[in-house]
Amino acid sequence: MLVGSVCVSKSSSWGGEEQWAQRARLAVQRLPVQLTVKLSLAESVPYLESPLSPLEFHREWVCPNRPCIIRNAFDHWPALKKWTLPYLREVMGSKAVSVAVTPNGYADAVYQDRFVMPEERHIPFSSFLDIVEKKVTLPGVFYVQKQCSNLIEEFPELLGDVEPDIPWMSETLGKKPDAVNFWLGESGAVTSLHKDHYENLYCVISGEKHFLLHPPSDRPFIPYEFYLPATYHISENGSFQVVDKEAVDKVPWIPVDPLNPDLKRYPEYAQAKPLHCIVKAGEMLYLPSLWFHHVQQSHGCIAVNYWYDMEYDLKYSYYQLLDSLSEAVKLV
Amino acid sequence: MLVGSVCVSKSSSWGGEEQWAQRARLAVQRLPVQLTVKLSLAESVPYLESPLSPLEFHREWVCPNRPCIIRNAFDHWPALKKWTLPYLREVMGSKAVSVAVTPNGYADAVYQDRFVMPEERHIPFSSFLDIVEKKVTLPGVFYVQKQCSNLIEEFPELLGDVEPDIPWMSETLGKKPDAVNFWLGESGAVTSLHKDHYENLYCVISGEKHFLLHPPSDRPFIPYEFYLPATYHISENGSFQVVDKEAVDKVPWIPVDPLNPDLKRYPEYAQAKPLHCIVKAGEMLYLPSLWFHHVQQSHGCIAVNYWYDMEYDLKYSYYQLLDSLSEAVKLV
């Protein structure tokens, strides 16, 4: 399979007429055409030893859409010292919370020919902790991952141990977060590869999160397919069924599993270049909008993240264009 | 001529599978394909009544690559009160300066099948002013427009009446300007449509400048051709000759004249959407990097501009991609 590529270099020199014609021919005549844009990306996610000024953070990280891990960004949060599982059990008691349950740890992921969402249960938080702490064994993998600002909606008792926003980020972006989410799950819980339209600050309080990241410019190498949506549902005998949702459109999702990519089926994925990083307790990952991410965690990892709506600006237009082109070349 | 277009809307909704396939087919199968991205552009260049904080200016204008006219940005410059032609004559005297001379006012523009640069003369500034003030009549149109930081290199006597940089812009961008240029010319002098890799702050001290602007996303509708470079040269009988430069590559330039576009030859230009603005004395235009601009002026208009090197970031990659695609579709 021939691949045409357009590489962008920092030089603004035009090159001669012949080079330009050749480049244009390359872009069009070699089929299937895959247009790649190589951004100036780091080999690994860089660290900042502390937060920056809003101007510097906007200019060096947000505007160029580049990830980083920020240390010493929330040393003052009581959560860092207080949030153990026993403490959370004490504060939350048997209050009912939303918990995602799947047979295999894959909530919101492609399974065979469906996009399958987890069974959502409302159970006492103490019961959920019994499962995480393996005091009780039940079929399936359990994860508090509802998002939708669940820290504020379901765990307001914990809000005083963290902050309702990240002040320097709110100043940087000129807005408050759309959502503040609480995450706690088993090591078997995996978040499949996807992207969000949020600027994301992801704070690990206890344990560690493993992120596999693809820049948005990897879009030509990341397959999307359409799937009928379904939900896991545990039957009386304890086995999980996949139950189709009624009368809904197919949804697009990424079928490739970065941990075990099927390169026979999705050969283009071999050209994608993932970045790996581990976010440890006390560290904050700036995960820029539109970056693809796949997430794993240590058992019982506790985290809080802040979602700020992205600006639908140049980078959004750019990635929409890349997206259209990626789909268009599949038809050639 | 059929035109395929991909419009970007603010919604992040995917649309159904059929819509996506249709959009992809549209992008590829209708030939010639012109991919357009409609950014959220204003109908006219907005005004700011004063400079903003560096964070706000970066976030709202630089990062989204949007132009604006800023008032009250240099009220404190002595130049605003002092710079009349008699004052400049008094300060500069008969010091030799670089002046561009053309038969028609078009320096650095396509003329027939050449890219023609002006004759560059070094004449006493007082002699140049005699021409501008019409005390003396000579063939051609005269313009001090050398750029290359000519305010510092050739007019250092004037530096004390302005500033060596724009402090809030230097803080916004985290750098000093690459060049500070002085401009003074006749009303017949026209700067043809082109773009620069600079963030440009263009300050009018006296008179007015007329800018015609195209956003970088108009690139699919703006033709580029390659031309042998040449220079005007006045012969002994006072007529201008076009003299080819020896042994140089062809250069790309935009052949269309926005004031009188040849739509038979360049029909795609009809789809480009120019913005017009007039920058008056005391006003500063923020002309973002990569924006196409065409400039006219009142007779004897005096201006100073600051060129800051652009960041070769996402927007640069985006426009390189648009550029390659625009050229590629010409071959289909």
Side-chain angles (χ1 to χ4, degrees), chain A residues 6 9 11-12 14 20 28 37 39 55 58-59 63 171-172 174 226 314-319 323-324 327-328, chain B residues 6 9 11-12 20 28 37 39 55 58-59 63 171-172 174 226 252 314-319 323-324 327-328:
Chain A
V6 175
S9 65
S11 162
S12 60
W14 286 100
W20 196 347
V28 169
V37 180
L39 300 170
L55 171 62
H58 194 276
R59 187 176 65 217
C63 182
E171 190 181 343
T172 299
F226 278 87
L314 274 181
K315 63 178 175 292
Y316 184 74
S317 303
Y318 178 35
Y319 295 129
D323 190 70
S324 298
E327 286 307 301
Chain B
V6 175
S9 64
S11 162
S12 60
W20 198 349
V28 169
V37 179
L39 302 170
L55 171 63
H58 194 276
R59 187 177 65 218
C63 185
E171 190 181 342
T172 299
F226 278 88
L314 275 180
K315 64 178 175 292
Y316 185 74
S317 303
Y318 178 34
Y319 295 128
D323 189 70
S324 297
E327 287 306 303

Side-chain angles (χ1 to χ4, degrees), chain A residues 78-92:
Chain A
L80 265 186
K81 293 194 172 69
K82 290 165 76 174
W83 285 13
T84 59
L85 296 189
Y87 169 81
L88 294 180
R89 183 188 287 274
E90 189 184 317
V91 172
M92 295 300 300

Side-chain angles (χ1 to χ4, degrees), chain A residues 210-257:
Chain A
H210 291 227
F211 283 83
L212 182 149
L213 305 175
H214 285 287
S217 54
D218 263 3
R219 175 63 181 89
F221 312 123
I222 294 175
Y224 271 89
E225 306 282 352
F226 278 87
Y227 300 93
L228 286 168
T231 315
Y232 286 116
H233 179 76
I234 195 162
S235 53
E236 282 171 12
N237 65 5
S239 68
F240 284 84
Q241 307 298 319
V242 173
V243 178
D244 283 353
K245 282 185 96 84
E246 296 289 317
V248 287
D249 286 336
K250 284 187 172 180
V251 295
W253 205 256
I254 299 166
V256 76
D257 178 0

Side-chain angles (χ1 to χ4, degrees), chain B residues 105-240:
Chain B
Y106 281 80
D108 301 315
V110 171
Y111 180 72
Q112 292 173 351
D113 62 344
R114 296 290 191 266
F115 170 72
V116 192
M117 291 163 285
E119 177 172 281
E120 200 177 277
R121 294 192 200 161
H122 297 272
I123 62 176
F125 187 71
S126 48
S127 304
F128 166 71
L129 282 188
D130 290 340
I131 295 161
V132 173
E133 292 181 276
K134 304 208 190 284
K135 293 173 178 168
V136 157
T137 303
L138 285 177
V141 178
F142 291 71
Y143 193 7
V144 165
Q145 53 118 70
K146 184 173 168 76
Q147 299 148 76
C148 301
S149 224
N150 67 337
L151 179 69
I152 295 167
E153 302 298 321
E154 299 197 29
F155 295 85
E157 296 83 350
L158 301 178
L159 203 44
D161 293 335
V162 298
E163 283 176 298
D165 73 324
I166 304 297
W168 52 262
M169 185 60 152
S170 301
E171 190 181 342
T172 299
L173 301 181
K175 59 177 76 167
K176 294 290 190 193
D178 271 16
V180 187
N181 304 313
F182 177 80
W183 307 77
L184 205 176
E186 301 193 88
S187 55
V190 178
T191 303
S192 70
L193 195 62
H194 71 287
K195 62 174 165 66
D196 304 307
H197 58 85
Y198 291 116
E199 305 293 348
N200 189 348
L201 289 179
Y202 203 99
C203 309
V204 175
I205 311 297
S206 169
E208 50 185 58
K209 289 271 181 179
H210 291 227
F211 283 84
L212 183 149
L213 305 175
H214 284 287
S217 54
D218 264 3
R219 174 63 180 90
F221 311 124
I222 294 174
Y224 270 90
E225 305 283 350
F226 278 88
Y227 300 94
L228 285 168
T231 314
Y232 287 116
H233 180 76
I234 197 163
S235 55
E236 281 171 13
N237 66 5
S239 67
F240 283 84

Side-chain angles (χ1 to χ4, degrees), chain A residues 81-267:
Chain A
K81 293 194 172 69
K82 290 165 76 174
W83 285 13
T84 59
L85 296 189
Y87 169 81
L88 294 180
R89 183 188 287 274
E90 189 184 317
V91 172
M92 295 300 300
S94 55
K95 181 180 174 188
V97 298
S98 306
V99 181
V101 192
T102 59
N104 52 16
Y106 281 81
D108 302 315
V110 172
Y111 180 74
Q112 293 173 349
D113 64 344
R114 296 288 191 267
F115 170 72
V116 192
M117 291 164 283
E119 179 171 280
E120 200 176 277
R121 295 190 201 165
H122 297 272
I123 64 177
F125 186 71
S126 49
S127 304
F128 167 70
L129 282 188
D130 289 342
I131 296 161
V132 173
E133 294 182 278
K134 306 208 188 283
K135 292 172 177 168
V136 157
T137 304
L138 286 178
V141 178
F142 291 69
Y143 193 7
V144 164
Q145 53 120 68
K146 184 173 170 74
Q147 300 149 74
C148 303
S149 224
N150 67 336
L151 179 69
I152 296 167
E153 302 296 322
E154 298 196 29
F155 295 86
E157 296 84 350
L158 302 178
L159 203 43
D161 293 336
V162 299
E163 283 177 297
D165 73 325
I166 303 297
W168 53 261
M169 186 60 154
S170 301
E171 190 181 343
T172 299
L173 301 181
K175 58 177 76 169
K176 295 289 190 193
D178 270 17
V180 186
N181 304 314
F182 177 79
W183 308 77
L184 205 176
E186 302 193 87
S187 56
V190 178
T191 303
S192 70
L193 194 62
H194 71 287
K195 63 174 164 67
D196 305 308
H197 59 84
Y198 291 117
E199 306 292 349
N200 189 349
L201 290 179
Y202 203 100
C203 309
V204 176
I205 311 296
S206 168
E208 49 186 57
K209 289 270 180 178
H210 291 227
F211 283 83
L212 182 149
L213 305 175
H214 285 287
S217 54
D218 263 3
R219 175 63 181 89
F221 312 123
I222 294 175
Y224 271 89
E225 306 282 352
F226 278 87
Y227 300 93
L228 286 168
T231 315
Y232 286 116
H233 179 76
I234 195 162
S235 53
E236 282 171 12
N237 65 5
S239 68
F240 284 84
Q241 307 298 319
V242 173
V243 178
D244 283 353
K245 282 185 96 84
E246 296 289 317
V248 287
D249 286 336
K250 284 187 172 180
V251 295
W253 205 256
I254 299 166
V256 76
D257 178 0
L259 300 179
N260 185 25
D262 183 347
L263 296 178
K264 278 203 180 120
R265 200 165 174 187
Y266 309 111

Side-chain angles (χ1 to χ4, degrees), chain A residues 14-23 25, chain B residues 225-227 249-252:
Chain A
W14 286 100
E17 181 178 12
E18 259 195 34
Q19 288 173 25
W20 196 347
Q22 185 185 19
R23 181 172 70 167
R25 266 192 295 274
Chain B
E225 305 283 350
F226 278 88
Y227 300 94
D249 286 335
K250 283 186 173 181
V251 296

Side-chain angles (χ1 to χ4, degrees), chain B residues 243-314:
Chain B
V243 177
D244 282 354
K245 283 186 96 86
E246 296 289 317
V248 287
D249 286 335
K250 283 186 173 181
V251 296
W253 205 256
I254 299 166
V256 77
D257 178 359
L259 300 179
N260 185 25
D262 183 347
L263 295 178
K264 279 202 179 121
R265 200 163 173 188
Y266 309 110
E268 66 274 25
Y269 187 71
Q271 297 178 73
K273 295 276 186 316
L275 283 176
H276 299 262
C277 69
I278 299 174
V279 188
K280 299 183 177 176
E283 295 181 340
M284 168 193 279
L285 169 67
Y286 167 55
L287 175 56
S289 55
L290 305 180
W291 274 65
F292 300 97
H293 48 288
H294 172 284
V295 195
Q296 301 174 86
Q297 59 195 328
S298 59
H299 192 78
C301 177
I302 313 171
V304 173
N305 88 298
Y306 297 78
W307 268 340
Y308 288 80
D309 200 18
M310 69 177 284
E311 291 302 319
Y312 295 91
D313 58 6
L314 275 180

